[in-house]
Coordinates of all heavy atoms in Angstrom, one line a residue:
V1 N 0.9 -1.2 0.0 CA 0.0 0.0 0.0 C 0.9 1.2 0.0 O 1.8 1.3 0.8 CB -0.9 0.0 1.2 CG1 -1.7 1.3 1.3 CG2 -1.8 -1.2 1.2
F2 N 0.6 2.1 -0.9 CA 1.3 3.4 -1.0 C 0.5 4.5 -0.3 O -0.7 4.6 -0.6 CB 1.6 3.8 -2.5 CG 2.6 2.9 -3.1 CD1 2.2 1.8 -3.8 CD2 3.9 3.2 -3.0 CE1 3.1 1.0 -4.4 CE2 4.9 2.4 -3.6 CZ 4.5 1.3 -4.4
G3 N 1.2 5.3 0.5 CA 0.5 6.4 1.1 C 0.4 7.6 0.2 O -0.5 8.5 0.3
D4 N 1.4 7.8 -0.7 CA 1.4 8.9 -1.6 C 2.2 8.5 -2.8 O 3.2 7.8 -2.7 CB 2.0 10.1 -0.9 CG 2.0 11.4 -1.7 OD1 1.0 11.6 -2.5 OD2 2.9 12.2 -1.7
A5 N 1.8 9.1 -4.0 CA 2.6 8.9 -5.2 C 2.5 10.2 -6.0 O 1.5 10.8 -6.0 CB 2.0 7.7 -6.1
Q6 N 3.6 10.6 -6.5 CA 3.7 11.8 -7.4 C 4.3 11.5 -8.7 O 5.1 10.6 -8.8 CB 4.6 12.8 -6.7 CG 4.1 13.3 -5.4 CD 5.0 14.3 -4.7 OE1 6.1 14.5 -5.2 NE2 4.6 15.0 -3.7
V7 N 3.8 12.2 -9.7 CA 4.3 12.0 -11.1 C 4.8 13.3 -11.6 O 4.1 14.3 -11.5 CB 3.1 11.4 -12.0 CG1 3.6 11.3 -13.4 CG2 2.6 10.1 -11.5
Y8 N 5.9 13.3 -12.2 CA 6.5 14.5 -12.8 C 6.4 14.3 -14.3 O 6.8 13.3 -14.8 CB 7.9 14.7 -12.4 CG 8.1 15.2 -11.0 CD1 8.1 14.3 -10.0 CD2 8.3 16.5 -10.7 CE1 8.3 14.7 -8.6 CE2 8.5 17.0 -9.4 CZ 8.4 16.1 -8.4 OH 8.6 16.5 -7.1
I9 N 5.9 15.3 -15.0 CA 5.8 15.2 -16.5 C 6.6 16.3 -17.1 O 6.4 17.5 -16.8 CB 4.3 15.2 -16.9 CG1 3.5 14.1 -16.3 CG2 4.1 15.2 -18.5 CD1 2.0 14.1 -16.5
D10 N 7.4 16.0 -18.1 CA 8.2 17.0 -18.8 C 7.3 17.7 -19.8 O 7.3 17.4 -20.9 CB 9.4 16.3 -19.5 CG 10.3 17.3 -20.2 OD1 10.2 18.5 -19.9 OD2 11.1 16.8 -20.9
T11 N 6.6 18.8 -19.3 CA 5.7 19.5 -20.1 C 6.3 20.4 -21.2 O 5.6 20.7 -22.2 CB 4.7 20.3 -19.2 OG1 5.5 21.2 -18.5 CG2 3.9 19.4 -18.3
N12 N 7.5 20.8 -21.0 CA 8.1 21.7 -21.9 C 9.2 21.0 -22.8 O 9.8 21.7 -23.6 CB 8.7 22.9 -21.2 CG 9.8 22.6 -20.2 OD1 10.3 21.5 -20.2 ND2 10.2 23.6 -19.4
G13 N 9.4 19.7 -22.6 CA 10.3 19.0 -23.5 C 11.8 19.2 -23.3 O 12.6 18.8 -24.1
N14 N 12.2 19.8 -22.1 CA 13.6 20.1 -21.9 C 14.3 19.0 -21.2 O 15.5 19.1 -20.9 CB 13.8 21.4 -21.2 CG 13.3 21.3 -19.7 OD1 12.8 20.3 -19.3 ND2 13.6 22.4 -19.0
R15 N 13.7 17.8 -21.0 CA 14.2 16.7 -20.3 C 14.7 16.9 -18.9 O 15.6 16.2 -18.4 CB 15.4 16.1 -21.2 CG 14.9 15.7 -22.6 CD 16.0 15.1 -23.3 NE 16.4 13.8 -22.7 CZ 16.4 12.6 -23.3 NH1 16.0 12.6 -24.6 NH2 16.7 11.5 -22.7
M16 N 14.1 17.9 -18.2 CA 14.4 18.3 -16.9 C 13.1 18.3 -16.1 O 12.2 19.0 -16.4 CB 15.1 19.7 -16.8 CG 16.3 19.8 -17.6 SD 17.8 19.2 -16.8 CE 17.9 20.2 -15.4
I17 N 13.1 17.5 -15.0 CA 11.9 17.5 -14.2 C 12.0 18.4 -13.0 O 11.0 18.6 -12.3 CB 11.5 16.0 -13.8 CG1 12.5 15.4 -12.9 CG2 11.1 15.2 -14.9 CD1 12.1 14.1 -12.2
S18 N 13.2 18.9 -12.8 CA 13.4 19.8 -11.6 C 12.6 21.0 -11.7 O 12.3 21.7 -10.7 CB 14.9 20.1 -11.5 OG 15.4 20.8 -12.6
D19 N 12.2 21.5 -12.9 CA 11.4 22.7 -13.0 C 9.9 22.4 -13.2 O 9.1 23.3 -13.5 CB 11.9 23.5 -14.2 CG 11.9 22.9 -15.5 OD1 11.6 21.6 -15.5 OD2 12.1 23.5 -16.5
E20 N 9.5 21.2 -13.0 CA 8.1 20.8 -13.1 C 7.4 20.7 -11.8 O 8.0 20.4 -10.7 CB 8.0 19.4 -13.8 CG 8.6 19.4 -15.2 CD 7.8 20.3 -16.2 OE1 6.7 20.6 -16.0 OE2 8.5 20.6 -17.3
I21 N 6.1 20.8 -11.7 CA 5.3 20.7 -10.6 C 4.7 19.3 -10.6 O 4.1 18.8 -11.6 CB 4.1 21.7 -10.5 CG1 4.7 23.1 -10.5 CG2 3.2 21.5 -9.4 CD1 3.7 24.2 -10.6
P22 N 4.8 18.5 -9.4 CA 4.4 17.1 -9.4 C 2.8 17.1 -9.4 O 2.2 18.0 -8.9 CB 4.9 16.6 -8.1 CG 5.1 17.7 -7.3 CD 5.5 18.9 -8.2
L23 N 2.3 16.1 -10.1 CA 0.9 15.7 -10.0 C 0.7 14.6 -9.0 O 1.4 13.5 -9.2 CB 0.3 15.4 -11.4 CG 0.3 16.5 -12.4 CD1 0.1 15.9 -13.8 CD2 -0.7 17.5 -12.0
H24 N -0.2 14.7 -8.1 CA -0.4 13.6 -7.1 C -1.3 12.6 -7.7 O -2.3 12.9 -8.4 CB -1.0 14.1 -5.8 CG 0.0 15.0 -5.1 ND1 0.8 14.4 -4.1 CD2 0.3 16.2 -5.1 CE1 1.6 15.4 -3.6 NE2 1.3 16.5 -4.2
A25 N -1.1 11.3 -7.4 CA -2.0 10.2 -7.8 C -3.1 10.2 -6.8 O -2.9 10.2 -5.6 CB -1.2 8.9 -7.9
T26 N -4.3 10.1 -7.3 CA -5.5 10.0 -6.4 C -6.0 8.6 -6.4 O -6.9 8.3 -5.6 CB -6.6 10.9 -6.9 OG1 -7.0 10.6 -8.2 CG2 -6.1 12.4 -6.8
G27 N -5.5 7.7 -7.2 CA -6.0 6.3 -7.2 C -5.2 5.5 -8.2 O -4.4 6.0 -9.0
G28 N -5.4 4.2 -8.3 CA -4.8 3.3 -9.2 C -4.0 2.2 -8.6 O -4.2 1.9 -7.4
T29 N -3.1 1.6 -9.4 CA -2.4 0.5 -8.9 C -0.9 0.6 -9.4 O -0.6 1.2 -10.4 CB -2.9 -0.9 -9.5 OG1 -2.9 -0.8 -10.9 CG2 -4.4 -1.1 -9.1
V30 N -0.1 0.0 -8.5 CA 1.3 -0.2 -8.9 C 1.7 -1.7 -8.6 O 1.4 -2.1 -7.4 CB 2.2 0.7 -8.0 CG1 3.7 0.4 -8.4 CG2 1.9 2.2 -8.3
K31 N 2.2 -2.4 -9.6 CA 2.5 -3.8 -9.4 C 4.0 -3.9 -9.5 O 4.6 -3.4 -10.4 CB 1.8 -4.7 -10.4 CG 2.2 -6.1 -10.4 CD 1.5 -6.9 -11.5 CE 2.0 -8.4 -11.5 NZ 1.5 -9.1 -12.7
V32 N 4.7 -4.6 -8.5 CA 6.1 -4.8 -8.5 C 6.3 -6.3 -8.6 O 5.7 -7.1 -7.9 CB 6.8 -4.3 -7.2 CG1 8.2 -4.6 -7.2 CG2 6.4 -2.8 -7.0
S33 N 7.1 -6.7 -9.6 CA 7.5 -8.2 -9.8 C 8.9 -8.3 -10.2 O 9.5 -7.4 -10.6 CB 6.6 -8.8 -10.8 OG 6.8 -8.2 -12.1
G34 N 9.5 -9.4 -9.9 CA 10.8 -9.7 -10.3 C 11.6 -10.4 -9.1 O 11.0 -10.8 -8.2
S35 N 12.9 -10.5 -9.3 CA 13.7 -11.2 -8.2 C 15.1 -10.7 -8.4 O 15.5 -10.1 -9.4 CB 13.6 -12.7 -8.3 OG 14.1 -13.1 -9.6
G36 N 15.9 -11.0 -7.4 CA 17.3 -10.6 -7.4 C 17.4 -9.1 -7.4 O 16.8 -8.4 -6.6
N37 N 18.1 -8.6 -8.4 CA 18.2 -7.1 -8.5 C 17.4 -6.6 -9.7 O 17.4 -5.3 -9.9 CB 19.7 -6.7 -8.8 CG 20.6 -7.0 -7.6 OD1 20.1 -7.0 -6.5 ND2 21.9 -7.2 -7.9
T38 N 16.7 -7.4 -10.4 CA 15.9 -6.9 -11.6 C 14.4 -7.0 -11.3 O 13.9 -8.1 -11.0 CB 16.2 -7.7 -12.8 OG1 17.7 -7.6 -13.1 CG2 15.5 -7.2 -14.0
Y39 N 13.8 -5.9 -11.4 CA 12.3 -5.8 -11.1 C 11.6 -5.0 -12.2 O 12.2 -4.2 -12.8 CB 12.1 -5.1 -9.7 CG 12.5 -6.0 -8.6 CD1 13.8 -6.0 -8.1 CD2 11.6 -6.9 -8.0 CE1 14.2 -6.9 -7.1 CE2 12.0 -7.7 -6.9 CZ 13.3 -7.7 -6.5 OH 13.7 -8.5 -5.4
T40 N 10.3 -5.3 -12.3 CA 9.4 -4.6 -13.2 C 8.4 -3.9 -12.3 O 7.8 -4.5 -11.5 CB 8.7 -5.6 -14.1 OG1 9.7 -6.2 -15.0 CG2 7.8 -4.8 -15.1
L41 N 8.2 -2.6 -12.6 CA 7.2 -1.8 -12.0 C 6.1 -1.5 -13.1 O 6.4 -1.0 -14.1 CB 7.7 -0.4 -11.5 CG 8.8 -0.5 -10.5 CD1 9.3 0.9 -10.2 CD2 8.4 -1.2 -9.3
E42 N 4.9 -1.9 -12.8 CA 3.8 -1.7 -13.8 C 2.8 -0.8 -13.0 O 2.4 -1.0 -11.9 CB 3.1 -3.0 -14.1 CG 4.0 -3.9 -14.9 CD 3.3 -5.2 -15.1 OE1 2.4 -5.3 -16.0 OE2 3.6 -6.2 -14.5
Y43 N 2.4 0.3 -13.7 CA 1.6 1.3 -13.0 C 0.4 1.8 -13.9 O 0.5 1.8 -15.1 CB 2.3 2.5 -12.5 CG 3.2 3.1 -13.6 CD1 2.8 4.1 -14.4 CD2 4.5 2.7 -13.8 CE1 3.5 4.6 -15.5 CE2 5.3 3.2 -14.8 CZ 4.9 4.2 -15.6 OH 5.6 4.7 -16.6
N44 N -0.7 2.0 -13.2 CA -1.9 2.6 -13.9 C -2.5 3.5 -12.9 O -3.2 3.1 -11.9 CB -2.9 1.4 -14.2 CG -4.1 1.9 -14.9 OD1 -4.3 3.1 -15.1 ND2 -4.9 1.0 -15.4
L45 N -2.2 4.8 -13.0 CA -2.6 5.8 -11.9 C -3.5 6.8 -12.5 O -3.4 7.3 -13.6 CB -1.3 6.5 -11.4 CG -0.2 5.6 -10.9 CD1 1.1 6.3 -10.6 CD2 -0.7 4.9 -9.6
T46 N -4.4 7.2 -11.7 CA -5.3 8.4 -11.9 C -4.7 9.6 -11.2 O -4.4 9.5 -10.0 CB -6.7 8.1 -11.4 OG1 -7.2 6.9 -12.0 CG2 -7.6 9.3 -11.7
L47 N -4.5 10.6 -11.9 CA -3.8 11.8 -11.4 C -4.9 12.8 -10.9 O -6.0 12.8 -11.2 CB -2.9 12.5 -12.4 CG -1.9 11.6 -13.0 CD1 -1.0 12.3 -14.0 CD2 -0.9 11.0 -11.9
E48 N -4.4 13.8 -10.1 CA -5.3 14.8 -9.5 C -6.0 15.7 -10.6 O -7.1 16.3 -10.3 CB -4.6 15.7 -8.5 CG -3.5 16.5 -9.1 CD -2.6 17.2 -8.1 OE1 -3.2 17.8 -7.2 OE2 -1.4 17.2 -8.2
N49 N -5.5 15.7 -11.8 CA -6.1 16.5 -12.9 C -7.1 15.6 -13.7 O -7.6 16.1 -14.7 CB -5.0 17.1 -13.8 CG -4.2 16.0 -14.5 OD1 -4.4 14.8 -14.3 ND2 -3.2 16.5 -15.3
G50 N -7.3 14.4 -13.2 CA -8.3 13.5 -13.8 C -7.8 12.7 -15.0 O -8.4 11.8 -15.5
K51 N -6.5 12.9 -15.3 CA -5.9 12.1 -16.4 C -5.3 10.8 -15.8 O -5.0 10.7 -14.6 CB -4.8 12.9 -17.1 CG -5.4 14.1 -17.8 CD -4.4 14.8 -18.7 CE -5.1 15.9 -19.5 NZ -4.3 16.6 -20.4
T52 N -5.0 9.9 -16.7 CA -4.5 8.6 -16.4 C -3.1 8.4 -17.0 O -2.9 8.8 -18.1 CB -5.4 7.4 -16.9 OG1 -6.7 7.6 -16.3 CG2 -4.8 6.1 -16.5
V53 N -2.2 7.9 -16.2 CA -0.9 7.5 -16.7 C -0.6 6.0 -16.5 O -0.9 5.5 -15.4 CB 0.2 8.4 -16.0 CG1 0.3 8.2 -14.5 CG2 1.6 8.1 -16.7
R54 N -0.2 5.4 -17.6 CA 0.0 3.9 -17.5 C 1.4 3.6 -18.1 O 1.8 4.3 -19.0 CB -1.0 3.2 -18.4 CG -2.4 3.2 -17.9 CD -3.4 2.4 -18.8 NE -4.7 2.9 -18.6 CZ -5.4 3.4 -19.5 NH1 -5.0 3.5 -20.7 NH2 -6.6 3.9 -19.2
G55 N 2.0 2.6 -17.6 CA 3.3 2.2 -18.2 C 4.0 1.2 -17.3 O 3.4 0.6 -16.4
S56 N 5.2 0.9 -17.7 CA 6.0 -0.1 -17.0 C 7.5 0.3 -17.1 O 7.9 1.0 -18.1 CB 5.7 -1.5 -17.4 OG 6.2 -1.7 -18.7
N57 N 8.3 -0.2 -16.2 CA 9.8 0.0 -16.3 C 10.4 -1.2 -15.7 O 10.0 -1.7 -14.6 CB 10.2 1.2 -15.5 CG 11.7 1.4 -15.6 OD1 12.3 1.3 -16.6 ND2 12.2 1.7 -14.4
T58 N 11.3 -1.9 -16.4 CA 12.1 -3.0 -15.9 C 13.5 -2.5 -15.8 O 14.1 -1.9 -16.8 CB 12.0 -4.2 -16.9 OG1 10.7 -4.6 -17.0 CG2 12.9 -5.3 -16.4
S59 N 14.2 -2.7 -14.7 CA 15.5 -2.2 -14.4 C 16.1 -2.9 -13.3 O 15.4 -3.7 -12.5 CB 15.4 -0.7 -14.1 OG 16.7 -0.1 -14.0
S60 N 17.4 -2.7 -13.1 CA 18.1 -3.2 -12.0 C 18.0 -2.3 -10.8 O 18.1 -1.1 -11.0 CB 19.6 -3.5 -12.3 OG 19.7 -4.5 -13.3
F61 N 17.7 -2.8 -9.6 CA 17.6 -2.0 -8.4 C 18.6 -2.4 -7.4 O 18.9 -3.6 -7.3 CB 16.2 -2.1 -7.9 CG 15.1 -1.4 -8.7 CD1 14.5 -2.1 -9.7 CD2 14.8 -0.1 -8.5 CE1 13.6 -1.5 -10.5 CE2 13.8 0.5 -9.3 CZ 13.2 -0.2 -10.3
S62 N 19.2 -1.5 -6.6 CA 20.1 -1.8 -5.6 C 19.4 -1.7 -4.2 O 18.6 -0.8 -4.1 CB 21.3 -0.9 -5.6 OG 22.0 -1.0 -6.8
K63 N 19.7 -2.5 -3.3 CA 19.1 -2.5 -2.0 C 19.6 -1.2 -1.3 O 20.8 -0.9 -1.4 CB 19.5 -3.7 -1.2 CG 19.0 -3.7 0.2 CD 19.4 -5.0 0.9 CE 18.8 -5.0 2.3 NZ 19.2 -6.2 3.1
I64 N 18.7 -0.5 -0.6 CA 19.1 0.6 0.2 C 18.9 0.2 1.7 O 17.8 -0.1 2.1 CB 18.2 1.8 -0.2 CG1 18.4 2.2 -1.6 CG2 18.5 3.0 0.8 CD1 17.4 3.3 -2.1
N65 N 20.0 0.3 2.4 CA 19.9 0.1 3.8 C 19.5 1.3 4.5 O 20.1 2.4 4.3 CB 21.3 -0.4 4.4 CG 21.7 -1.7 3.8 OD1 20.8 -2.6 3.6 ND2 22.9 -1.9 3.4
G66 N 18.5 1.2 5.4 CA 18.1 2.4 6.0 C 17.2 2.2 7.2 O 16.8 1.7 7.9

C-alpha cells in the first residue's frame, strides 16, 4: 500500500523534471514483480487532474539500507 505517489511530466520537453510541478496520484495500482536485482514496475494511476498515466519499467535496483 502506498500512502502517496507523485508523477512529474516533462511538459516543456527540456528533459528536466526539476522545473516541473508534481501531480499527485489519487488512485490506481502499482505492481512490482521480479527477483534478485531486476524488477518490473507496472503502474496505472489516476492523477489529480483527472488524467491517467500507464506504463512499466524494468530495471536493476540496488538495496538501500536504512
Side-chain angles (χ1 to χ4, degrees):
V1 174
F2 289 92
D4 186 36
Q6 297 178 349
V7 176
Y8 289 82
I9 299 173
D10 183 12
T11 58
N12 60 13
N14 69 354
R15 302 181 67 123
M16 303 280 294
I17 61 168
S18 60
D19 59 350
E20 301 292 342
I21 297 172
L23 293 168
H24 291 267
T26 59
T29 59
V30 177
K31 178 182 173 186
V32 180
S33 60
S35 63
N37 291 335
T38 303
Y39 288 86
T40 298
L41 304 175
E42 298 175 72
Y43 49 90
N44 183 351
L45 302 172
T46 302
L47 304 179
E48 62 187 314
N49 63 1
K51 295 188 178 185
T52 300
V53 61
R54 293 183 203 119
S56 66
N57 180 44
T58 300
S59 187
S60 294
F61 291 87
S62 299
K63 181 178 178 181
I64 298 174
N65 295 318

